[in-house]
Amino acid sequence: MNWSWVMSLHEINKEALEIELEKSLTFWEDLSSNDKTRIIDNTYPVKYKKGESIHGGDSDCIGILLIQTGGLRTYILSEDGREVTLYRLTPGDVCVLSSSCVLSNITFDVHIDADFDSELLIINSDVYSDLAANNLYIENFTNKEAVARFSDVMWAMQQILFMSFDKRLASFLLDEISRDGSLEIHMTHDQIAKYVGSAREVVSRMLKYFASEGIVTLQRGGITILDKARLRQIVGLI
Amino acid sequence: MNWSWVMSLHEINKEALEIELEKSLTFWEDLSSNDKTRIIDNTYPVKYKKGESIHGGDSDCIGILLIQTGGLRTYILSEDGREVTLYRLTPGDVCVLSSSCVLSNITFDVHIDADFDSELLIINSDVYSDLAANNLYIENFTNKEAVARFSDVMWAMQQILFMSFDKRLASFLLDEISRDGSLEIHMTHDQIAKYVGSAREVVSRMLKYFASEGIVTLQRGGITILDKARLRQIVGLI
């Protein structure tokens, strides 16, 4: 973690912090005021630059992450070092897999990067772990969040295993333009390959095919969608 | 479900049943005696023949399964009928994904078949669901079991994505030792990753697996090959 981003403690407005914690942690009202104070005192705002690694490899149990702005991408590394995206988290989401030491039944590790410039609140994992061990509401909340990510991973797995690649790429392009409302996607083929769990060559070939069909136009470092209806047709939505 | 296999209720020894339930359900001691009775009265022994479908497709929320003998296989099915095995359950295991209606955060469905001739106890899902909604111990137990299956699925996914990497790495190690006639390879995991076109983490994980199998030993900055024949077997040379 890039600790240079950690604000000094006296900069934190504790009341504002409590409001954020209460919003995201559904067990907040089931905590004693002592436990609330303990969490507040052990939560730190941290900023990450787009593309920066937040969790993965050696940095084992970084803590519970509350996403304030930006977004995170969780992935695993494939055989040849390709990244296979499992799911993305957006503001309001809570990331518990960054603190897998809290969850006794989690025996795998994932990588987490900042998808955009992001502001997070990080709850210290030792403190959280300690509280969860003595409070069933916290333990259940953590397991429940992990189960939600299980659903995300199953979706990604089905995409990777079963969907033909034209569908997968069309689905990705539709997701991207629906996310920010623009018909332009500012990503390289290499970046898209990482997101869809494929190789750059495969992405380039399919995009070229889409371009030849008048579905997209390709520019350096970007793609413009010309025929959204056709993409929806490929995915099987219409 | 093949209801012809369901024994009639008067055949069930309720005391024996309670012993089995207590063994598998870690929340048993946190139940009121009323709730215990309700679960006992709504648990049925069922037998399945090897290969028989237990859950999947239409039979949505069959119930919580306690595996007594035999074993179950959980898999997903593609549109063209391809099966991908996610994990297997053996006697003593509890299957909660057969009752995904209990878990609000589960948004996917799986297929479950009997891997062998199997005897199960099935807890009615409506009753279980109802009790879980009012008992945090039951809810947490169910989420925790689902998280354990999440770990199984991640392992399966990594096997599928990393498949053949063992071959590639074994082939590289054989090449290296045949090159200079020594069984020692003086390279870091990082250097090997570069040669085989992978990531250091992936190389380290597979080398650790090779070491656990007694194929190699790992030293700082090097690897010693213990079982050359086994490497040749992995590559498919013998």
Side-chain angles (χ1 to χ4, degrees):
Chain A
M1 179 165 26
N2 187 344
W3 281 104
S4 67
W5 284 109
V6 178
M7 297 175 194
S8 63
L9 277 176
H10 64 263
E11 286 180 51
I12 303 172
N13 176 335
K14 300 243 168 177
E15 271 134 59
L17 188 61
E18 178 160 7
I19 290 169
E20 289 304 317
L21 290 168
E22 194 172 4
K23 229 190 307 186
S24 299
L25 307 174
T26 55
F27 57 77
W28 195 254
E29 61 189 33
D30 300 303
L31 294 177
S32 68
S33 61
N34 261 356
D35 288 350
K36 282 181 188 173
T37 306
R38 209 169 152 212
I39 290 183
I40 291 168
D41 287 346
N42 288 283
T43 299
Y44 310 96
V46 182
K47 288 181 184 178
Y48 286 95
K49 290 254 181 240
K50 178 176 177 169
E52 223 178 320
S53 168
I54 296 171
H55 172 77
D58 296 332
S59 52
D60 229 2
C61 208
I62 167 174
I64 302 291
L65 312 179
L66 281 61
I67 297 127
Q68 303 295 294
T69 65
L72 309 187
R73 184 173 67 95
T74 302
Y75 61 94
I76 52 174
L77 284 170
S78 78
E79 61 186 62
D80 45 6
R82 267 193 295 129
E83 295 171 4
V84 175
T85 300
L86 300 175
Y87 55 84
R88 283 156 154 167
L89 297 176
T90 53
D93 286 337
V94 178
C95 176
V96 296
L97 290 196
S98 51
S99 201
S100 54
C101 56
V102 179
L103 295 149
S104 58
N105 278 350
I106 290 278
T107 58
F108 58 92
D109 207 6
V110 294
H111 292 256
I112 304 171
D113 283 2
D115 222 2
F116 310 97
D117 288 353
S118 301
E119 293 171 303
L120 314 177
L121 293 174
I122 302 189
I123 307 173
N124 177 287
S125 63
D126 288 339
V127 170
Y128 189 90
S129 219
D130 192 32
L131 290 170
N134 297 298
N135 185 320
L136 197 58
Y137 291 97
I138 304 181
E139 193 189 327
N140 188 49
F141 170 83
T142 317
N143 281 315
K144 221 168 150 180
E145 283 296 318
V147 170
R149 298 295 86 75
F150 186 7
S151 290
D152 293 340
V153 165
M154 286 300 296
W155 188 87
M157 192 170 176
Q158 286 175 327
Q159 296 289 308
I160 291 164
L161 290 174
F162 296 142
M163 222 192 246
S164 56
F165 187 68
D166 58 341
K167 278 191 192 178
R168 231 158 84 203
L169 187 59
S171 170
F172 173 80
L173 297 176
L174 285 171
D175 279 356
E176 281 303 305
I177 58 173
S178 79
R179 205 209 301 264
D180 67 358
S182 156
L183 289 174
E184 281 174 38
I185 296 168
H186 298 288
M187 291 176 89
T188 65
H189 299 187
D190 205 39
Q191 287 172 311
I192 294 172
K194 278 181 187 164
Y195 282 116
V196 299
S198 182
R200 189 189 52 74
E201 292 86 339
V202 179
V203 169
S204 295
R205 200 183 312 135
M206 191 60 77
L207 282 174
K208 228 164 132 184
Y209 167 73
F210 283 175
S212 74
E213 293 282 303
I215 303 169
V216 302
T217 53
L218 307 178
Q219 305 93 40
R220 195 161 184 81
I223 297 145
T224 305
I225 310 300
L226 300 178
D227 194 345
K228 202 169 146 183
R230 185 69 191 287
L231 284 179
R232 290 171 59 82
Q233 210 170 28
I234 290 169
V235 176
L237 294 174
I238 50 173
Chain B
M1 180 166 23
N2 186 345
W3 281 104
S4 67
W5 285 109
V6 179
M7 296 174 193
S8 62
L9 277 176
H10 64 265
E11 285 180 53
I12 304 172
N13 176 335
K14 300 243 169 177
E15 272 134 59
L17 188 59
E18 178 160 4
I19 290 168
E20 289 305 317
L21 290 168
E22 194 171 3
K23 228 190 307 185
S24 299
L25 307 175
T26 55
F27 57 78
W28 194 254
E29 62 189 32
D30 300 303
L31 294 177
S32 67
S33 60
N34 262 356
D35 288 350
K36 282 182 188 172
T37 306
R38 209 168 153 211
I39 290 184
I40 291 168
D41 287 346
N42 288 282
T43 299
Y44 310 95
V46 182
K47 289 182 186 179
Y48 286 94
K49 290 256 181 238
K50 179 178 176 169
E52 224 179 320
S53 169
I54 297 172
H55 172 75
D58 296 333
S59 51
D60 228 1
C61 208
I62 167 175
I64 302 291
L65 312 179
L66 281 62
I67 297 126
Q68 303 294 295
T69 66
L72 309 186
R73 184 174 67 96
T74 302
Y75 60 96
I76 49 175
L77 204 57
S78 74
E79 275 172 32
D80 53 358
R82 206 150 50 92
E83 293 178 7
V84 173
T85 299
L86 300 176
Y87 55 84
R88 293 183 147 101
L89 296 176
T90 54
D93 286 337
V94 178
C95 176
V96 297
L97 290 196
S98 51
S99 201
S100 53
C101 56
V102 179
L103 294 149
S104 57
N105 277 350
I106 291 278
T107 59
F108 59 91
D109 207 7
V110 294
H111 292 255
I112 304 172
D113 283 3
D115 224 0
F116 309 96
D117 289 352
S118 300
E119 294 172 302
L120 313 178
L121 294 173
I122 302 188
I123 307 172
N124 177 287
S125 63
D126 287 340
V127 170
Y128 188 90
S129 219
D130 192 32
L131 290 169
N134 296 297
N135 185 320
L136 196 59
Y137 291 97
I138 304 181
E139 193 189 327
N140 188 48
F141 170 84
T142 317
N143 280 315
K144 220 168 150 180
E145 283 296 317
V147 170
R149 299 296 85 75
F150 185 9
S151 290
D152 293 340
V153 165
M154 286 300 297
W155 190 85
M157 192 171 176
Q158 286 176 329
Q159 292 296 304
I160 291 162
L161 291 169
F162 302 162
M163 209 186 313
S164 85
F165 185 67
D166 58 341
K167 279 190 193 178
R168 235 160 79 207
L169 187 59
S171 168
F172 173 80
L173 297 177
L174 285 173
D175 281 355
E176 281 303 303
I177 58 173
S178 79
R179 206 205 306 259
D180 67 358
S182 155
L183 289 174
E184 283 176 35
I185 297 169
H186 298 288
M187 291 176 89
T188 64
H189 298 187
D190 206 39
Q191 288 171 309
I192 294 172
K194 278 182 191 154
Y195 280 111
V196 298
S198 181
R200 187 190 52 74
E201 291 91 333
V202 179
V203 170
S204 295
R205 199 180 313 134
M206 191 59 76
L207 282 174
K208 227 164 131 184
Y209 169 73
F210 282 176
S212 75
E213 292 282 302
I215 302 169
V216 302
T217 53
L218 307 178
Q219 305 93 37
R220 196 162 182 80
I223 297 146
T224 305
I225 309 300
L226 299 178
D227 193 343
K228 201 168 146 182
R230 186 69 191 287
L231 283 179
R232 290 171 59 82
Q233 210 171 28
I234 289 169
V235 175
L237 294 173
I238 51 173

